[in-house]
Amino acid sequence: RLFAPAQGLIAEDDRRAAELVVGEFARRAWRREVKKNEIIPLIELYDRGTDRGESFRQAIKLPLKAILVSPKFLFVSEKGHDGTGIHRVSDVELASRLSLFLWHSLPDDELLDLAAQQQLHRADVLEKQVRRMLSDRRSYRFAKAFAGQWLGTVAVGRTKIPDTDHFKPVYTTELVTDLRRQVSETMHRMIQDNLPVTDWIDCDYVVVNRRLAKHYGIEPVPPSDYDFEVISLSNSPRPGVLGLGAVHMLTSYSKRTSPVLRGGWVLETIFGNRLPAPPPDVGDLSGGEKEVKQKTVRERLEKHRENQTCAACHDLIDPIGFALENFDAIGGWRENYRDRAAIDASGELPTGESFQDVQGLKEILAGQPE
C-alpha cells in the first residue's frame, strides 16, 4: 500500500518514485493537499539516505518518519477567524473533523478529493459521506469509544474488577473482554441499522457471541466465540442496557450487587438526573456481621429510608435498583441470593407506578419515549 503510488517506477526512477510515495503519504498524514515546497525538504532527507548507499526501502524511511513527527500530523490545526459569529470551516478542515470523529483515523481519498474540490460542505454531499462513513467498519471505533464513555463500561475489567476468587471459575479474562465488547457491538449495530434510541431501554434482540450467550443462558447459541451476532429474544430480561453484564459489573461491589449503585446509575447515566451527594453524616449500610446475615439488602435499605434526609433520594433510586437484583455482580442471572433467600425484584416508583421485575420496569420506562 505504501509503494502503490510509485508502482513500476521503483528501480527504474527511484527519486521520482520517492517523490510520489512521500507526496501521497504526506497528503494522507497531514489530511490535505501538500504543496511542492513542502515536499522538497522531505526528498532531501531521502537523498541523504541514498548518498550513504542505502536502498530505496531504507532511504524512504527518513522522510516518512519526518512526516509522522511533524506537528502537521500530530495536531489538528484550523485557520483562525477574524470576524464574529458563526463561520464555516474549510472543506479540508471538515474532512479531518469527520474522519477523526467517526473513524478515529485519517480521511480517505474520497473525503480528501471532495474537500479539494470544495464539495464536502454541500448538504447532499455531506449527508452521503456521513452515511458512507457510518456504514464502514471503521465506524466501530466511534461506537466503541462513545458507548464506553457514555455508559462508563470502559472501566469494566480495568479499574472496576470483581473479587476474582469469589466468582471462580465463571469469571475469566475472556468473559470480561466479551462483556465490555458487547456494549461496543450493540452500539455499532444500532448506528449501522439506524435503530431508535429507545432500543437501549427495551427491544427484542441482543448482540452476543457464543461465550456470552452461554453466560446469559440465551438460546440459540451463536457458533463463534469471536463474532457477535444479533439474537432475537421475546419476553426476556436481557435486551436493552439494563440487561448488559458490563453494566451489572460496573454497578456492583467486588462481591455483591448494589441496588443503590444501579438505581443511581440508571437515573444519572440514562436519564441525566444528577443526584446530590449524600450528606456527610448519613452513615452506611455495612452494619455488623450479624445484621448483614439476618437482613436482606431490601430490609436494610427500608430502615435506611426511615431517615427523611435519606428517603428523598432513595425513594427514587432504590426501586430501580431492586428491579436489577436478579442480575449478579458479573451479569449472570439468579433467582436467589447465595444464602438461598428468594430475590424480590418488585418496586414502586415515586409516580405510583409499580412493577414485579425488570421486565415491568422496562415497560414503564419505554412508555415515556420522550
Side-chain angles (χ1 to χ4, degrees):
R1 287 190 299 171
L2 182 65
F3 296 150
Q7 194 169 15
L9 282 175
I10 298 175
E12 295 292 332
D13 186 349
D14 279 358
R15 199 171 192 282
R16 177 57 183 156
E19 290 175 352
L20 293 174
V21 170
V22 170
E24 179 59 24
F25 191 78
R27 177 178 183 262
R28 293 293 299 276
W30 296 347
R31 306 175 294 281
R32 59 171 174 78
E33 297 300 320
V34 181
K35 298 175 183 177
K36 188 174 182 179
N37 62 356
E38 294 177 298
I39 297 293
I40 293 173
L42 295 171
I43 295 302
E44 289 174 351
L45 294 176
Y46 166 79
D47 291 338
R48 188 182 302 176
T50 58
D51 290 344
R52 291 196 296 260
E54 294 177 354
S55 67
F56 177 85
R57 283 177 167 271
Q58 191 65 28
I60 202 74
K61 289 182 179 180
L62 194 55
L64 300 186
K65 288 179 182 179
I67 291 168
L68 292 176
V69 299
S70 167
K72 300 168 188 174
F73 170 69
L74 296 173
F75 299 102
V76 178
S77 59
E78 296 182 352
K79 292 180 180 179
H81 182 64
D82 296 331
T84 58
I86 296 173
H87 67 284
R88 182 166 65 83
V89 298
S90 73
D91 282 40
V92 170
E93 292 165 348
L94 181 57
S96 276
R97 289 190 180 200
L98 282 174
S99 62
L100 294 173
F101 178 47
L102 296 179
W103 284 349
H104 288 209
S105 186
L106 308 175
D108 63 3
D109 287 336
E110 187 168 336
L111 275 176
L112 289 176
D113 289 342
L114 287 169
Q117 298 161 14
Q118 300 294 308
Q119 295 294 309
L120 190 56
H121 71 277
R122 288 177 40 192
D124 58 332
V125 175
L126 183 59
E127 178 175 351
K128 183 179 179 181
Q129 287 302 307
V130 169
R131 291 185 181 278
R132 177 181 73 86
M133 294 175 73
L134 288 176
S135 65
D136 190 286
R137 181 62 187 174
R138 281 170 286 188
S139 66
Y140 177 80
R141 301 165 187 167
F142 164 75
K144 178 181 178 181
F146 180 83
Q149 292 177 41
W150 168 41
L151 301 178
T153 51
V154 68
V156 169
R158 293 179 173 129
T159 58
K160 189 70 177 182
I161 304 173
D163 187 313
T164 53
D165 289 332
H166 188 73
F167 289 101
K168 279 183 177 178
V170 179
Y171 181 88
T172 63
T173 301
E174 292 77 17
L175 176 65
V176 74
T177 300
D178 288 344
L179 291 174
R180 197 168 55 236
R181 187 178 160 197
Q182 184 192 18
V183 178
S184 310
E185 294 284 349
T186 301
M187 173 62 90
H188 191 229
R189 174 68 60 175
M190 294 179 70
I191 292 172
Q192 294 242 303
D193 294 347
N194 197 25
L195 299 173
V197 71
T198 47
D199 275 19
W200 278 113
I201 302 301
D202 195 21
C203 58
D204 59 359
Y205 61 88
V206 292
V207 184
V208 292
N209 60 359
R210 178 171 61 185
R211 190 161 33 233
L212 272 189
K214 290 181 177 179
H215 180 60
Y216 290 159
I218 290 173
E219 293 184 350
V221 177
S224 170
D225 279 334
Y226 180 78
D227 295 320
F228 278 67
E229 296 185 10
V230 177
I231 304 295
S232 296
L233 290 178
S234 59
N235 195 31
S236 169
R238 280 295 167 189
V241 72
L242 301 186
L244 292 174
V247 170
H248 306 143
M249 189 181 298
L250 179 71
T251 55
S252 297
Y253 293 115
S254 62
K255 292 185 178 180
R256 66 173 178 85
T257 58
S258 169
V260 176
L261 291 180
R262 289 181 172 180
W265 180 89
V266 171
L267 288 169
E268 291 197 328
T269 303
I270 304 301
F271 297 111
N273 296 325
R274 296 301 169 199
L275 300 172
D281 59 345
V282 71
D284 58 40
L285 292 176
S286 56
E289 184 177 345
K290 183 177 180 181
E291 181 182 1
V292 171
K293 287 184 177 180
Q294 290 181 345
K295 290 186 177 181
T296 65
V297 174
R298 182 181 284 267
E299 290 170 336
R300 290 157 65 201
L301 281 170
E302 286 175 355
K303 181 175 176 61
H304 196 62
R305 288 199 300 276
E306 291 176 1
N307 183 330
Q308 290 302 308
T309 304
C310 301
C313 282
H314 281 272
D315 285 347
L316 293 170
I317 297 170
D318 295 356
I320 295 174
F322 289 140
L324 303 178
E325 275 293 87
N326 284 114
F327 300 110
D328 67 21
I330 58 173
W333 182 262
R334 59 187 182 175
E335 298 288 346
N336 304 86
Y337 293 109
R338 286 194 170 223
D339 62 2
R340 301 191 182 279
I343 292 173
D344 180 2
S346 64
E348 182 177 330
L349 301 176
T351 55
E353 297 165 298
S354 60
F355 54 86
Q356 294 303 310
D357 51 27
V358 66
Q359 281 290 86
L361 174 63
K362 288 199 294 185
E363 289 174 8
I364 293 172
L365 298 179
Q368 305 173 56
E370 70 282 359

